[in-house]
Amino acid sequence: MEPQRWCEYLAVELVSQTSLGPLYKALNLEGAPALHFLRVFHGEASSPGPAAALLQANAGRWRQLRDLYTLSLHGSGRQGESFCCAIEYVQGRLLSEVLDRCAQEGIPLAHDQAVYLAERIAGALVSLSTQDQFCGTLCPEEVLVTFEGEVKLLPAVVRDLQTTRLRESPLLAGRLAYLPRDQRGGQAAGPQADRFALGALFFEFLCHQPLRPEGGELDLKERLDEAGRGLGMSEGLPASLMAILRRSLLEDAPGAYGTMDAMKADLNQLIASGEYSPSTFNMAFLMHSLFRDEEEAEGRRDRDWLVLDRTPHLVAPPAEEPPAAQVPPEPPPKPKRRPFYTPPPAEQAAQVPEPAFSGVEAPPDRKGLFIGLGATALVVLIAILSWLAFGSRGPSEAELRAEKLEKELAAQKEALKRQQDELASKLAAAEKEKQDLQEKMSTAKTADERAKALKALEEAQKKIEAQRQAQAQLAEKEKSVLSPPAPPGSVASSSPPSPAPAGAAPSPPGPPPVAAAPR
């Protein structure tokens, strides 16, 4: 596709076509080049009205959220009749594309992988609940699976669109299939909507078909009974998995989940029992099997996009002129009222000053003295005000330079802290992967399985060592930032002076030390 400008971003590659609009890979037009996901909503979803107002309000709410398991929302805006959202970019695929590719390739999700996806999504929703937030529109188009096997949620800017007239539109038909009955009827979503949606996704992972095949209403209890007996050619689901499905999808089921923490606890207990052993390595292997060679090709394209010349696209598209408002015609100016005629004042006879009393001098005229004193005071006042306005000296150049250096150090410390957090999370994931591989190797039954597990374990160990080296380099960098070089003019350190170069003239001897006078 040809690069296309949307708001302050340049869409360079189509990632996925969702039910509510395309998802692009985009570059920011200003500042250092960086890649973002760009969601563009067209038509009914973004036309002025309640739906567009919901998109704007949800974007403002999610822009303030920072969570390790949810992609950050960097900005939003309107261009014409479309609404755009810029989202943190990570190489991967939407869960909807992963499920479609599984069906095309004939590689259905194993129970281990289904449990892994459900547990990771539950962990992300629990993390959101600690910040008094929930998704409310969970479906395969709102989840991203990275090529490393991690699971991330997209910002839920489309939450509660079922409360608008879009509920009757085909745009929301697929999303309504993952909502409980009340929300399908038009009510606003709550945390319970996430528990139901995760149960519907878990059903789809295990049975390889959606909970509501046609998207309409059905008897959920009967549908779950069919899954327990076996749908199509597949065998019936185990009782441990059916218990989680019933507690998440049926409100009147014994032990129905009241919180997402309870559902995640059951998934964790299922994993700890040893019956299922999901791991990030297994999911990463599935992603590489489904999207063969696409990760490397996408990496090369990303590097090319980052060096793309953005200059030709910096000119903003012409803004649409709003329709001319109907301005009522101005009333005709009122005629000026003619003033009444007033006769000129009668001439008065010139008054002749009476002569002073004879023999008595008139008092001296002090008018000139007062005028002089007033002028002097005015000059003094102007001088004082001028000094106050222009005479006070601002901060010196050295102070400005020190303040700038302090701000730069603070920015570097913040960037280093973010890098430390990211490396720590990656190292923890690598350690977890190593532990999973060790358990897998210990339970391997054949030599081939042990060889594969050992090879994967060596790769995981290399990844851990690389992460630790990166942490050490980051620590050295942090040490250099925390102890910056002394500015010019500061007191030199107490190290001994360097010897004079060969051939240089010896420095003249200093004055002899003065002996202390005897007391």
Side-chain angles (χ1 to χ4, degrees):
M1 59 171 284
E2 290 294 328
Q4 183 179 6
R5 175 164 180 166
W6 291 98
C7 297
E8 299 303 321
Y9 295 87
L10 185 65
V12 294
E13 183 180 334
L14 179 64
V15 176
S16 179
Q17 184 68 43
T18 68
S19 59
L20 293 176
L23 179 68
Y24 293 109
K25 191 183 302 180
L27 276 172
N28 54 317
L29 286 173
E30 296 183 358
L35 287 172
H36 306 264
F37 283 129
L38 187 70
R39 282 186 92 169
V40 180
F41 302 92
H42 299 305
E44 297 177 82
S46 60
S47 299
L54 266 177
L55 289 176
Q56 186 71 36
N58 289 335
R61 183 184 303 112
W62 284 87
R63 197 181 300 119
Q64 308 299 326
L65 185 136
R66 292 293 180 271
D67 188 84
L68 183 62
Y69 305 99
T70 302
L71 300 178
S72 300
L73 180 63
H74 292 160
S76 62
R78 298 191 64 87
Q79 181 172 314
E81 292 294 322
S82 300
F83 185 77
C84 312
C85 290
I87 304 171
E88 176 188 358
Y89 172 72
V90 179
Q91 283 189 350
R93 294 290 183 267
L94 293 181
L95 180 58
S96 56
E97 292 191 15
V98 175
L99 297 177
D100 290 343
R101 188 65 65 93
C102 285
Q104 294 172 9
E105 299 287 337
I107 309 177
L109 290 176
H111 287 179
D112 286 350
Q113 295 161 341
V115 172
Y116 172 84
L117 287 173
E119 190 274 335
R120 288 304 171 97
I121 296 174
L125 294 172
V126 169
S127 180
L128 285 180
S129 67
T130 60
Q131 304 184 51
D132 295 330
Q133 187 62 277
F134 61 94
C135 182
T137 180
L138 184 64
C139 69
E141 291 182 353
E142 299 297 324
V143 181
L144 181 84
V145 183
T146 71
F147 287 124
E148 287 75 21
E150 295 294 337
V151 178
K152 304 275 188 178
L153 299 182
L154 272 67
V157 296
V158 296
R159 188 170 78 191
D160 290 339
L161 286 183
Q162 76 278 1
T163 61
T164 68
R165 58 183 178 85
L166 285 179
R167 183 166 55 90
E168 308 297 333
S169 172
L171 294 178
L172 291 188
R175 292 173 172 272
L176 292 177
Y178 297 90
L179 290 178
R181 184 186 302 271
D182 292 341
Q183 277 73 52
R184 288 168 60 86
Q187 291 187 11
Q192 76 281 0
D194 287 346
R195 297 191 291 277
F196 183 91
L198 182 53
L201 284 176
F202 196 30
F203 181 96
E204 191 168 348
F205 298 157
L206 296 168
C207 300
H208 314 132
Q209 55 180 279
L211 176 66
R212 295 185 171 100
E214 304 298 329
E217 294 293 346
L218 50 75
D219 189 339
L220 293 177
K221 186 177 183 303
E222 182 179 351
R223 180 67 167 165
L224 292 178
D225 291 340
E226 293 177 357
R229 295 190 299 267
L231 292 172
M233 302 297 294
S234 62
E235 298 180 356
L237 296 178
S240 57
L241 300 179
M242 287 300 304
I244 295 178
L245 288 177
R246 294 182 187 280
R247 292 171 185 171
S248 59
L249 295 173
L250 301 178
E251 296 181 357
D252 55 350
Y257 296 127
T259 63
M260 184 58 64
D261 300 80
M263 185 173 183
K264 187 177 186 304
D266 278 1
L267 290 169
N268 290 339
Q269 185 176 2
L270 189 66
I271 296 172
S273 66
E275 186 177 359
Y276 303 98
S277 56
S279 67
T280 307
F281 174 78
N282 290 339
M283 183 53 60
F285 182 79
L286 175 66
M287 292 294 292
H288 287 286
S289 301
L290 294 176
F291 305 96
R292 291 177 293 273
D293 301 328
E294 292 188 24
E295 180 183 6
E296 296 181 2
E298 185 165 347
R300 290 193 297 269
R301 290 198 306 271
D302 290 351
R303 289 190 290 271
D304 293 339
W305 292 133
L306 289 174
V307 296
L308 177 70
D309 183 16
R310 299 170 290 172
T311 306
H313 306 278
L314 287 177
V315 180
E320 298 182 1
E321 297 183 358
Q326 299 293 333
V327 181
E330 296 182 0
K334 296 182 180 180
K336 294 183 179 181
R337 184 176 181 182
R338 185 176 180 181
F340 290 106
Y341 172 76
T342 55
E347 296 182 358
Q348 296 181 357
Q351 297 182 357
V352 179
E354 298 180 358
F357 290 103
S358 57
V360 181
E361 296 182 358
D365 188 6
R366 301 180 180 271
K367 181 178 181 181
L369 177 61
F370 293 150
I371 293 176
L373 292 175
T376 303
L378 181 60
V379 170
V380 173
L381 180 61
I382 292 175
I384 294 174
L385 293 178
S386 300
W387 182 85
L388 291 176
F390 306 103
S392 58
R393 187 172 64 89
S396 64
E397 183 179 355
E399 293 173 345
L400 294 176
R401 188 162 53 248
E403 182 179 357
K404 181 180 178 181
L405 179 60
E406 184 178 355
K407 291 181 180 179
E408 292 177 354
L409 288 177
Q412 292 180 8
K413 292 177 183 177
E414 183 65 24
L416 288 174
K417 185 178 182 303
R418 289 197 299 270
Q419 293 179 12
Q420 286 177 344
D421 295 342
E422 182 177 358
L423 285 176
S425 62
K426 289 184 178 180
L427 182 58
E431 293 285 358
K432 178 66 168 59
E433 180 180 351
K434 176 182 175 182
Q435 183 180 0
D436 295 338
L437 289 173
Q438 290 175 343
E439 294 178 359
K440 186 174 183 180
M441 187 173 65
S442 63
T443 57
K445 298 180 179 179
T446 64
D448 188 19
E449 290 181 356
R450 283 194 295 273
K452 289 183 180 180
L454 180 59
K455 183 178 179 181
L457 184 61
E458 291 176 354
E459 294 179 355
Q461 183 62 33
K462 291 179 180 179
K463 186 185 298 183
I464 291 174
E465 292 176 357
Q467 294 293 340
R468 289 175 177 171
Q469 290 178 2
Q471 279 188 331
Q473 294 174 1
L474 187 61
E476 291 295 331
K477 185 177 180 181
E478 182 181 12
K479 186 184 301 180
S480 63
V481 170
L482 294 178
S483 58
S490 62
V491 179
S493 62
S494 60
S495 59
S498 59
S507 58
V514 180
R519 297 188 177 182

